[in-house]
């Protein structure tokens, strides 16, 4: 594995090894400072982010690497018309690995096609978000021990939600069962939907081990009225939790808007903030592995 642009870049053995290595990182979070000493990681974020960029930067620094990058493309020469390819050529001259988020689907693969250093896809438009999937699986495994056999309800925007696009194939590979609870008109893309059962939120709550809730991706809608019509399709709250399976957990890649009620936040089933925290050891495992350390 040279780049991580898609969950399909990973073999089953890679997936298992990342989860195992993330556990090692988490157990010794402060003891890994020599691993990437002298290396430089670039975070090139052409789209907003809180968790992904900052957890990658934390991960790099916990491993002893230096960090360069940008969070706002308006401050880079892409705002003067520089192509993505030329930007990547320049970053190749400065960094040993590039973590990139971009609004266009396929941008990470375009970057990887010409990059001389590893490229990690930190989200490419409505495409994929493979390191989010690694931390999602890591969280499920931590909370429920075994991944095989879990029923995972994917709730919300399954059309534009890139975290779901990486998660569905990964769940199948670990022998968990994805169940689609799509907001109206926001179904899974055809290539992912085959063989995935569809459900109502009530039915999924009663039968699934994980409710994986997602935000309706406002920024992907061409028509604001269409967004307004579906944005409140689902709200997961403490009342719904009363009707879930015993030991069911609620996850969300975040940010949330109003699809998870704040009345859930203090409850043991609410795992979304722990999930975000798990991003650090998981991304430490990704950086160390791709840099051969
Ligand atoms: N989950 C996630 O990708 O969050 P950010 O957009 O804040 O990076």
């Amino acid at each position: 594995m040279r780049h991580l642009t898609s969950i399909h870049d990973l073999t089953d053995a890679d997936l298992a090894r990342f989860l195992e290595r993330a556990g090692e990182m988490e157990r010794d979070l402060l003891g890994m400072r020599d691993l990437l000493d002298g290396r430089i990681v670039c975070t090139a974020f052409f789209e907003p982010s809180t968790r992904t960029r900052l957890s990658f930067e934390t991960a790099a620094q916990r491993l002893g690497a230096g960090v360069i990058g940008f969070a706002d493309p308006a401050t880079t020469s892409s705002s003067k018309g520089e192509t993505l390819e030329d930007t990547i050529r320049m970053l190749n001259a400065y960094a040993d690995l590039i973590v990139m988020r971009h609004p266009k689907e396929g941008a990470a693969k375009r970057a990887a096609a010409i990059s001389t250093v590893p490229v990690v896809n930190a989200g490419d438009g409505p495409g994929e978000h493979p390191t989010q999937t690694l931390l999602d699986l890591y969280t499920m495994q931590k909370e429920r021990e075994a991944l095989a056999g879990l029923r995972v309800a994917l709730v919300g925007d399954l059309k534009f939600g890139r975290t779901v696009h990486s998660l569905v194939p990964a769940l199948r590979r670990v022998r968990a069962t994805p169940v689609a609870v799509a907001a109206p008109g926001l179904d899974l893309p055809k290539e992912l939907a085959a063989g995935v059962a569809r459900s109502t939120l009530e039915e999924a709550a009663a039968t699934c081990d994980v409710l994986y809730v997602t935000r309706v991706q406002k920024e992907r809608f061409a028509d604001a009225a269409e967004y307004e019509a579906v944005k409140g399709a689902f709200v997961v709250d403490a009342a719904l939790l009363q009707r879930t399976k015993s030991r069911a957990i609620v996850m969300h890649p975040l940010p949330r808007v109003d699809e998870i009620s704040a009345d859930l936040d203090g409850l043991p089933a609410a795992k979304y903030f722990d999930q975000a925290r798990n991003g650090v050891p998981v991304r430490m495992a990704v950086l160390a592995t791709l840099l051969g350390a």
Side-chain angles (χ1 to χ4, degrees):
M1 186 201 336
R2 182 162 151 64
H3 305 285
L4 179 47
T5 59
S6 162
I7 202 70
H8 300 290
D9 291 340
L10 302 179
T11 64
D12 291 355
D14 292 332
L15 264 182
R17 179 68 190 129
F18 272 127
L19 300 186
E20 187 187 328
R21 196 155 193 210
E24 291 163 15
M25 295 291 181
E26 189 175 11
R27 283 189 290 278
D28 192 15
L29 209 58
L30 304 181
M32 300 285 174
R33 275 196 290 268
D34 292 338
L35 219 53
L36 295 184
D37 187 26
R39 315 296 279 278
I40 295 181
V41 170
C42 176
T43 52
F45 275 61
F46 294 87
E47 261 197 346
S49 167
T50 297
R51 281 146 289 274
T52 310
R53 184 174 66 83
L54 295 177
S55 63
F56 261 116
E57 294 188 356
T58 303
Q61 295 192 42
R62 291 251 185 256
L63 293 166
V67 176
I68 62 168
F70 55 87
D72 178 359
T75 65
T76 74
S77 288
S78 66
S79 65
K80 304 174 201 162
E82 185 162 60
T83 63
L84 174 63
E85 281 74 9
D86 280 357
T87 302
I88 294 298
R89 287 184 183 102
M90 292 303 95
L91 302 184
N92 283 180
Y94 310 139
D96 300 300
L97 181 146
I98 300 166
V99 179
M100 189 179 85
R101 173 169 288 186
H102 198 281
K104 289 211 172 96
E105 185 167 358
K109 284 196 189 301
R110 269 173 63 198
I114 60 147
S115 181
T116 57
V117 303
V119 172
V120 178
N121 182 5
D124 61 326
E128 282 205 51
H129 196 347
T131 65
Q132 177 71 45
T133 286
L134 292 175
L135 76 89
D136 294 341
L137 294 182
Y138 183 73
T139 303
M140 288 177 208
Q141 185 169 269
K142 255 177 91 172
E143 299 299 332
R144 297 300 304 265
E145 296 93 37
L147 293 170
L150 289 180
R151 281 174 64 80
V152 180
L154 306 165
V155 181
D157 183 349
L158 312 189
K159 178 180 179 183
F160 296 122
R162 57 193 173 201
T163 69
V164 167
H165 300 166
S166 295
L167 185 55
V168 166
L171 287 171
R172 289 179 148 150
R173 284 166 60 178
V174 299
R175 297 188 303 286
T177 304
V179 175
V181 184
L186 299 178
D187 294 303
L188 278 174
K190 272 201 186 75
E191 64 276 15
L192 291 174
V196 177
R198 298 171 74 173
S199 173
T200 63
L201 181 57
E202 286 287 331
E203 186 184 65
T207 59
C208 287
D209 303 287
V210 179
L211 294 183
Y212 186 95
V213 187
T214 63
R215 175 178 66 92
V216 177
Q217 306 276 300
K218 181 180 184 182
E219 63 274 35
R220 312 283 174 224
F221 282 74
D223 180 346
E226 280 181 26
Y227 167 73
E228 291 297 325
V230 292
K231 69 175 185 185
F234 298 116
V235 177
V236 173
D237 57 13
L240 182 78
L241 207 63
Q242 302 289 326
R243 303 194 287 282
T244 55
K245 236 177 127 175
S246 128
R247 295 186 67 221
I249 59 172
V250 180
M251 295 175 60
H252 191 307
L254 304 178
R256 68 172 156 182
V257 184
D258 46 20
E259 61 280 357
I260 292 188
S261 167
D263 68 2
L264 221 66
D265 291 357
L267 301 180
K271 298 298 178 192
Y272 29 93
F273 296 123
D274 297 327
Q275 182 185 352
R277 180 179 292 269
N278 290 334
V280 173
V282 168
R283 288 173 170 137
M284 287 169 75
V286 168
L287 294 176
T289 302
L290 284 174
L291 285 169

